[in-house]
Amino acid sequence: MDFMCVQKDVENYIKERNFEEAIHKILECALDNEDNLNFDKSNENYFDAHLFKLFTVLKSEKLTEIYKNLCEIFILMKEPGLIAHFITAEFETGGCNAFYAGQAIFYLIKNYKLDYKDFYCNFYNLITPSCIDKYSNEILSFTKIILADPGISLLCIKSYIKKLARTSLDTTSQNCYNILLLILFLIKINPLCGIMAHSQSFDCSQDDLEVNFEHFQPYLFELDILEKSIDPIKSVVHNIRNESQYSRIRYKKEVLLSENTFKDLNIKIFKGIIKSFYE
């Protein structure tokens, strides 16, 4: 693919305000050519200015395809941080592309050293029944990646486990089942979180239903409710209870973080990040 020609085409489309074709050309360049990962940046055929223009003039709903593929598009930019302001604004305000913006921010943090300390707090806010219903396994697989990062605190992981458990009560049976599998996974790689599955470990004399990133009742009473659900859900709840009895790591993280674990995500883009977790 002749990147100079593509760049010129995009430039002309933007001048003509034919933004749809400009977006199509950028996506074609980023996705359709297997050689784009080895894009020679020495020729300075970047798309920084074009993307900045698109983010400036278009509303978020017109940029959905761009947001979906930002991690690939960053490869075609000299300074991906140039559009970080737009992405973080979409993420923080919970816009229509907030989930994809969250993926892009995490990618920038890990690959371009973006300084964004509130990532986990803000992504936590996306763990809602409506988001789970909309993105299903895609958002759960990505949540699995970010919580597998050994650099985050145990309290953060517990906070997410609690939010996931609460969300499981208000979604479909299939999504509830998948959420419970994610909780089981998190307890497997963080066995100290297993205590959350046992009521005798906490003072549950007073109900505290408030759940936010920094304040929550650690006991997963949601499991008590789900034990009365359909058989597949009851089975996973049983596995969580059983797994939570162990207080030592019994699994190699590199086995749990296999490609099959993240089949709903673009593993090519996140593979390097995942591998760094257990090196």
Side-chain angles (χ1 to χ4, degrees):
M1 179 177 290
D2 190 330
F3 288 99
M4 293 185 67
C5 290
V6 174
Q7 187 191 40
K8 191 65 177 177
D9 288 342
V10 172
E11 185 176 342
N12 290 333
Y13 285 135
I14 290 177
K15 286 180 179 178
E16 298 166 1
R17 299 189 67 81
N18 189 348
F19 300 124
E20 186 175 340
E21 280 300 321
I23 290 172
H24 173 75
K25 274 292 182 181
I26 291 173
L27 291 173
E28 182 181 39
C29 187
L31 303 176
D32 292 351
N33 193 314
E34 287 296 324
D35 295 330
N36 71 67
L37 290 176
N38 299 315
F39 177 48
D40 181 10
K41 294 189 175 183
S42 64
N43 60 20
E44 298 187 356
N45 291 321
Y46 306 114
F47 289 85
D48 299 47
H50 308 95
L51 286 160
F52 185 83
K53 179 68 174 180
L54 291 172
F55 274 90
T56 301
V57 301
L58 295 179
K59 293 183 178 180
S60 179
E61 56 265 27
K62 297 291 186 180
L63 291 167
T64 296
E65 291 305 313
I66 290 288
Y67 272 105
K68 282 183 179 180
N69 299 285
L70 271 173
C71 296
E72 290 90 348
I73 289 171
F74 287 146
I75 298 168
L76 304 180
M77 298 184 69
K78 183 177 182 179
E79 297 291 343
L82 185 68
I83 58 173
H85 169 74
F86 301 103
I87 301 169
T88 55
E90 179 74 7
F91 183 47
E92 292 169 1
T93 58
C96 61
N97 295 305
F99 167 58
Y100 299 120
Q103 282 190 327
I105 290 171
F106 187 72
Y107 187 85
L108 288 175
I109 291 171
K110 292 300 180 182
N111 291 286
Y112 294 90
K113 309 301 181 185
L114 177 69
D115 184 14
Y116 190 79
K117 296 180 175 61
D118 293 330
F119 172 78
Y120 282 93
C121 180
N122 287 325
F123 193 83
Y124 174 95
N125 295 328
L126 296 183
I127 307 297
T128 63
S130 60
C131 266
I132 298 295
D133 290 342
K134 182 177 180 179
Y135 298 107
S136 191
N137 288 342
E138 190 177 9
I139 191 170
L140 295 179
S141 292
F142 183 68
T143 303
K144 189 178 294 184
I145 288 180
I146 66 174
L147 294 182
D149 187 341
I152 63 174
S153 69
L154 190 65
L155 181 61
C156 177
I157 296 169
K158 287 182 176 180
S159 179
Y160 268 81
I161 288 176
K162 183 64 178 183
K163 183 68 176 292
L164 287 164
R166 182 63 58 84
T167 302
S168 72
L169 299 179
D170 296 314
T171 187
T172 65
S173 295
Q174 183 62 58
N175 285 336
C176 175
Y177 177 80
N178 291 332
I179 289 172
L180 291 175
L181 288 178
L182 174 53
I183 292 174
L184 177 60
F185 169 87
L186 293 173
I187 290 176
K188 281 183 176 181
I189 62 173
N190 301 281
L192 292 179
C193 293
I195 193 174
M196 299 176 71
H198 298 286
S199 60
Q200 62 268 30
S201 303
F202 304 98
D203 178 11
C204 302
S205 57
Q206 293 185 348
D207 291 334
D208 186 355
L209 298 180
E210 182 182 2
V211 175
N212 60 51
F213 188 65
E214 296 180 342
H215 178 82
F216 55 92
Q217 161 60 267
Y219 173 55
L220 299 177
F221 68 83
E222 294 86 357
L223 299 181
D224 298 338
I225 298 172
L226 294 173
E227 276 182 327
K228 302 173 184 178
S229 185
I230 59 177
D231 287 343
I233 290 176
K234 287 194 290 186
S235 176
V236 184
V237 170
H238 173 76
N239 290 338
I240 291 173
R241 301 271 200 207
N242 184 58
E243 187 65 40
S244 65
Q245 297 178 29
Y246 298 95
S247 59
R248 59 187 178 85
I249 296 178
R250 302 186 300 130
Y251 307 89
K252 289 186 177 181
K253 188 170 288 189
E254 58 264 36
V255 174
L256 292 174
L257 299 179
S258 65
E259 293 192 13
N260 289 334
T261 303
F262 307 104
K263 59 185 178 182
D264 298 295
L265 285 176
N266 186 340
I267 194 68
K268 186 175 183 180
I269 291 297
F270 290 102
K271 189 173 183 178
I273 295 175
I274 296 168
K275 186 178 179 181
S276 71
F277 291 165
Y278 53 83
E279 286 181 337

